[in-house]
Amino acid sequence: MILKKLALLLLLIFTLSPHSQPADTLAFDSISRTILLNRPSGGFGNMYCHDDFVIVTTKWYVAGGGEREHFYSAGISLIDYSDIRNGKEAAVYQSSEHRNNYYPDANPIYNSQAKGNHVYLTAENGLEIVNIQDPYNPFLEATYKPEGYEMYGGYIYIRDNTALLIPYLDMKASKIELLNIEDPTAPKRIGILDFGSNFISELIWDNDSYIYILGGVGDHDWDITSRVLSIVDVFSEEAPKIVNSIFAMNAKSIGKIDEHLYINNLITNYEPNKSEIYDLSDPASPMKIFETDLNYYFNNMIPFDEYYVSKTWRDKIVVYEMDGLIPREIYVWKGRNSHMVVRDQYIFTLSGPSSSSSYAIYVYELKAPSYVSFFDKF
C-alpha cells in the first residue's frame, strides 16, 4: 500500500511539472554528424558557411625541437554540406609558414574569411590567399605581407570589396589595417589605425561606415583593464579614424540586434550579467536607453528564423526570443560547443571531448514549436 501511494505521488509530481506539460517552445533534430578526420593538433580558429561548405580555420603543431617548443601553422578545412544530412570533409589546406621557437604560452591567432573563389587566411607572415574554385583541391594563389610590421596571425573581416585586417602583434591585437580587395589576389592598403597600448578584444562591422571595437589596456583579453568601446569611421579621409568612445569598465562582450548595440557586463561570477542597450539611430553616437539583467552574456547575435542565437561563455549555445528590446533565453545547449554557425534553418556546432582526437561538426534542424518533455529539452 505504501509503495502504491508513493508511485501515485511521483506520478502526480511528474504530471504537474512545468517541464512535462505541452509547451510552445523550440525543438531541434540532430540530423548529421561529420567527424573531422584531419583534426588539427593545435586547435581551431573561426568557423563559417560559404556556399554549400562549412569552412573551419585550424591551427597545427608543425614540429617540436626543445622541451617546450611547438611550431604553429595556419590552415583551413572545407566540409561539403551540399547534402545537409551527409557532410564530408572535402579538403584540407595547411600553410607551410611557421616561426621557429614559438612557445605554447604565446599562441598565434589564426582566422579566415571567404569571398567568391578565395579564402583569406591570416598566417604567420601575412595573408595567404587560397584558391577554392575547386573546393576539393584548394591551393595557395597569392600572399599579402604588410609593410611596417610583422604579424603572428590575426583576424580578418570582409565587406564587399573591403577587408579589415587585425594583425596579432607582440601577443596582442592593437591595430587595424583596411585593404581594397577588388582584385582578390592583390590586396592594396587603404589606411591603418594604431591603437597603441590598447588590446582589441571584440569587433562588430555590419555598417558600411562604422566599426564598433571593444578593447582596453592589457596583454591578453582576460586581463584587460579600463575597457573602452571605440567607434571607428572606416573611410574617414581614406583612413580609419576613432570618432567616439564609451567607457565600459566591466564589458565582457558586445552584440548588435537590428539598430541597437548591447554592451554586456560581467560584474562578478555571482551576480547577473548586466546588458546596456544603446540606440544607433546615429551610428557614430550611440545613445544609452536602459539596461537589463541577462543570465548569459552574448556577442555575435545571429538571426535564426524568428529568433536569435549566440554562443556564450563556457561553450553554451543559447537561443533567444525578443521581448521588445530585451533578449530572453528560451533554449540552451550545454556541452563542448567550441564554435557555431547558422545557415537557413540549420545550426552547425563544432564539438569535441576535452582529451580526444575525435572532433565533429553536428547539424541541428529547427522544428516547429512542439511538446518537449523534461528528458528531451537538454
Side-chain angles (χ1 to χ4, degrees), residues 6 31 40-41 55 57 78 94 107 110 115 118 124 152 156 177-178 181 189 191 210 269 278 293 349 352:
L6 181 59
I31 64 171
S41 49
I55 299 177
T57 313
L78 297 99
Q94 184 179 349
N107 289 354
Y110 296 133
K115 180 180 183 295
H118 296 88
E124 288 296 301
Y152 294 77
I156 186 166
E177 180 174 352
L178 208 61
I181 56 171
R189 179 181 288 181
Y210 295 96
N269 289 331
Y278 289 77
D293 290 347
T349 69

Side-chain angles (χ1 to χ4, degrees), residues 45-340:
N46 61 330
M47 181 170 81
Y48 53 95
C49 294
H50 182 66
D51 298 332
D52 288 333
F53 287 77
V54 167
I55 299 177
V56 182
T57 313
T58 57
K59 184 192 297 182
W60 302 82
Y61 290 139
V62 177
E67 182 181 350
R68 283 173 51 83
E69 290 178 351
H70 292 286
F71 308 148
Y72 289 110
S73 174
I76 55 173
S77 291
L78 297 99
I79 300 91
D80 187 346
Y81 279 103
S82 51
D83 179 353
I84 195 68
R85 295 179 180 273
N86 293 287
K88 58 181 178 179
E89 195 169 29
V92 169
Y93 167 83
Q94 184 179 349
S95 170
S96 60
E97 289 279 352
H98 63 273
R99 294 176 183 269
N100 292 334
N101 303 318
Y102 210 67
Y103 292 96
D105 56 355
N107 289 354
I109 299 296
Y110 296 133
N111 188 261
S112 73
Q113 284 295 322
K115 180 180 183 295
N117 292 325
H118 296 88
V119 169
Y120 295 81
L121 173 65
T122 60
E124 288 296 301
N125 293 304
L127 284 178
E128 295 193 2
I129 303 165
V130 182
N131 189 305
I132 58 166
Q133 185 170 4
D134 177 1
Y136 281 79
N137 293 286
F139 64 91
L140 179 65
E141 184 171 355
T143 60
Y144 173 78
K145 297 189 182 299
E147 294 182 6
Y149 62 86
E150 291 187 349
M151 60 184 277
Y152 294 77
Y155 304 90
I156 186 166
Y157 301 81
I158 294 176
R159 282 181 66 83
D160 300 324
N161 288 322
T162 305
L164 183 70
L165 174 62
I166 304 179
Y168 206 55
L169 309 165
D170 298 325
M171 311 313 126
K172 65 181 181 179
S174 58
K175 68 174 63 183
I176 60 176
E177 180 174 352
L178 208 61
L179 301 171
N180 182 312
I181 56 171
E182 190 170 1
D183 179 346
T185 60
K188 296 179 180 178
R189 179 181 288 181
I190 297 174
I192 195 165
L193 173 63
D194 197 327
F195 281 77
S197 60
N198 278 12
F199 184 102
I200 298 172
S201 175
E202 286 193 27
L203 178 149
I204 294 175
W205 186 22
D206 67 352
N207 178 293
D208 288 336
S209 300
Y210 295 96
I211 303 171
Y212 302 93
I213 296 176
L214 179 64
V217 178
D219 293 325
H220 302 282
D221 182 34
W222 58 86
D223 65 3
I224 289 179
T225 59
S226 304
R227 291 175 182 261
V228 173
L229 179 76
S230 300
I231 297 94
V232 176
D233 185 344
V234 184
F235 298 110
S236 175
E237 300 175 355
E238 296 299 317
K241 176 183 178 183
I242 298 175
V243 295
N244 205 346
S245 61
I246 298 171
F247 181 63
M249 181 177 68
N250 296 310
K252 186 65 178 179
S253 69
I254 54 176
K256 186 172 179 290
I257 302 175
D258 298 326
E259 295 307 312
H260 293 91
L261 181 72
Y262 294 72
I263 300 180
N264 303 307
N265 301 298
L266 179 64
I267 309 302
T268 72
N269 289 331
Y270 306 100
E271 296 182 53
N273 302 299
K274 301 285 185 182
S275 185
E276 300 177 355
I277 304 173
Y278 289 77
D279 180 83
L280 293 178
S281 298
D282 180 355
S285 300
M287 180 178 295
K288 184 177 177 179
I289 306 173
F290 63 93
E291 65 180 41
T292 184
D293 290 347
L294 291 175
N295 291 327
Y296 305 97
Y297 64 76
F298 59 86
N299 42 32
N300 185 22
M301 192 68 95
I302 304 172
F304 181 55
D305 196 68
E306 59 186 285
Y307 310 100
Y308 288 87
V309 63
S310 179
K311 194 181 88 67
T312 67
W313 187 46
R314 289 184 176 173
D315 295 341
K316 294 181 178 71
I317 292 176
V318 182
V319 181
Y320 299 86
E321 188 173 44
M322 296 303 296
D323 179 7
L325 294 177
I326 302 175
R328 304 291 190 191
E329 302 96 349
I330 59 173
Y331 197 97
V332 180
W333 261 287
K334 297 179 182 179
R336 295 190 57 77
N337 302 300
S338 62
H339 294 72
M340 177 208 71

Side-chain angles (χ1 to χ4, degrees), residues 29-34 81 84 346-349 361-365:
D29 270 343
S30 176
I31 64 171
S32 174
R33 176 174 180 261
T34 304
Y81 279 103
I84 195 68
Y346 304 105
I347 291 180
F348 301 77
T349 69
I361 295 178
Y362 293 81
V363 183
Y364 300 89
E365 182 178 18

